[in-house]
Amino acid sequence: MAIKTRTAIIAGNWKMNYGPQLAANFARDIVPELGRLMLLYERIMSILCPPAISLAAVRQVLDEHPLTRIELGAQNMYYEEKGAFTGEIAPTMVSELCSTVILGHSERRTYFGETDEMVNKKAQAALRHGLRPIICIGEHLEQYEAGQTEQVIRTQVLHSLANFSAQRAADVVIAYEPIWAIGTGKAATVEGAGKVISLIRELYNDMYGSEAATDLRILYGGSVTPANIGEFMAHADIDGALVGGASIKQDFVEIVQKTIETLEQ
Ligand code: 13P
């Protein structure tokens, strides 16, 4: 396989699983092996994204293993700096513990009313604070079945990814997560995901130029497992995965291992 120029990212979105105690226990279970794998292969980044209340506990476990290079990410944040926003977390608070923040996940869009405009404000705030945003986009089943995927993706890209400064545009990560593939055990085909991901890169090229588009990392998400990650990683345009259900089990370590095996081929 041709050597990929972009460093791969395998991120685990733990969603609403594991409070501080369980999160620390699980992190202690996976971090040594995960860290060992990442020492063997440098062109991969792995990011753990526990619930907000468990970030400090997982940070502590990662700090006990300073050589591992495993990064920490939040699952959401607000775009304002501080103030009367009960229940929200500010970018500066996230950046004390994390390198990364997932934004605009379809569950946040569906259950908590997040719009492309809100996601865009959050992404801009993340970049201002030196956080790497993983911005999620993807179409619903009905849109997929009606052949509207391209149109939906085009709209989400134009609005969620607007107005980045030219020099920060390359720091953005996009996760293409078709909603019908999330938690269903029915992953997209590599060809299908690859086609949408190539479209996203083209649109980004139109918005920010070829350098930013070449550096942009685009992940696939939706029912990723140790059995299918290799196929996704073999696609030239797919730079990694955002993993849900399989990220709260030992499977996550296996996914990282399979990714490395594929990239080394
Ligand atoms: P699953 O891997 O459980 O399908 O979830 C994907 C996801 O939503 C990651 O953000």
Side-chain angles (χ1 to χ4, degrees):
M1 191 181 125
I3 292 182
K4 290 191 177 186
T5 51
R6 297 177 288 266
T7 298
I9 294 180
I10 302 293
N13 175 8
W14 297 7
K15 306 194 178 182
M16 201 171 71
N17 294 287
Y18 296 156
Q21 190 104 47
L22 289 177
N25 291 348
F26 176 61
R28 281 203 178 86
D29 281 348
I30 61 167
V31 161
E33 179 61 6
L34 207 49
R36 193 188 65 78
L37 288 170
M38 291 172 65
L39 281 179
L40 297 176
Y41 187 81
E42 288 202 341
R43 302 191 54 76
I44 187 166
M45 182 183 282
S46 128
I47 308 172
L48 308 181
C49 307
I53 201 164
S54 304
L55 284 168
V58 175
R59 176 78 268 157
Q60 198 178 336
V61 176
L62 294 179
D63 289 346
E64 289 162 13
H65 298 82
L67 297 179
T68 59
R69 295 197 296 116
I70 301 167
E71 297 193 20
L72 191 63
Q75 297 174 13
N76 177 37
M77 67 171 201
Y78 198 45
Y79 49 80
E80 293 288 354
E81 306 279 322
K82 63 176 179 172
F85 301 102
T86 301
E88 292 296 323
I89 301 172
T92 46
M93 300 172 187
V94 175
S95 66
E96 269 190 47
L97 298 176
C98 301
S99 63
T100 300
V101 59
I102 299 171
L103 296 173
H105 190 281
S106 62
E107 287 147 20
R108 294 220 52 89
R109 293 175 187 259
T110 303
Y111 304 128
F112 304 100
E114 289 200 10
T115 61
D116 285 335
E117 285 65 31
M118 286 164 74
V119 173
N120 184 244
K121 281 189 185 173
K122 291 181 177 199
Q124 293 198 36
L127 291 172
R128 268 199 311 278
H129 289 276
L131 285 161
R132 174 191 305 115
I134 300 181
I135 301 164
C136 304
I137 57 178
E139 79 285 6
H140 286 279
L141 180 63
E142 306 76 60
Q143 295 167 327
Y144 173 69
E145 286 178 340
Q148 295 167 345
T149 300
E150 191 176 320
Q151 190 49 45
V152 171
I153 293 298
R154 202 175 280 275
T155 304
Q156 288 178 336
V157 168
L158 286 181
H159 294 98
S160 302
L161 307 175
N163 301 320
F164 297 151
S165 71
Q167 80 264 39
R168 300 308 310 270
D171 299 335
V172 168
V173 177
I174 298 174
Y176 169 56
E177 301 204 304
I179 295 167
W180 46 269
I182 295 178
T184 58
K186 291 187 192 138
T189 61
V190 177
E191 298 69 38
K195 209 170 128 205
V196 177
I197 284 174
S198 301
L199 167 70
I200 295 169
R201 203 177 298 285
E202 261 173 51
L203 294 169
Y204 211 71
N205 184 72
D206 294 344
M207 293 167 83
Y208 297 109
S210 67
E211 212 171 303
T214 304
D215 290 346
L216 177 73
R217 256 87 56 90
I218 311 180
L219 317 181
Y220 167 75
S223 299
V224 170
T225 65
N228 63 21
I229 185 68
E231 293 170 55
F232 286 109
M233 291 313 299
H235 190 289
D237 231 9
I238 300 180
D239 301 310
L242 183 54
V243 185
S247 75
I248 55 170
K249 306 188 267 190
Q250 282 292 332
D251 282 7
F252 189 68
V253 178
E254 222 182 304
I255 287 173
V256 169
Q257 182 172 2
K258 292 268 162 54
T259 300
I260 294 172
E261 284 168 15
T262 307
L263 294 175
E264 276 181 332
Q265 272 167 25

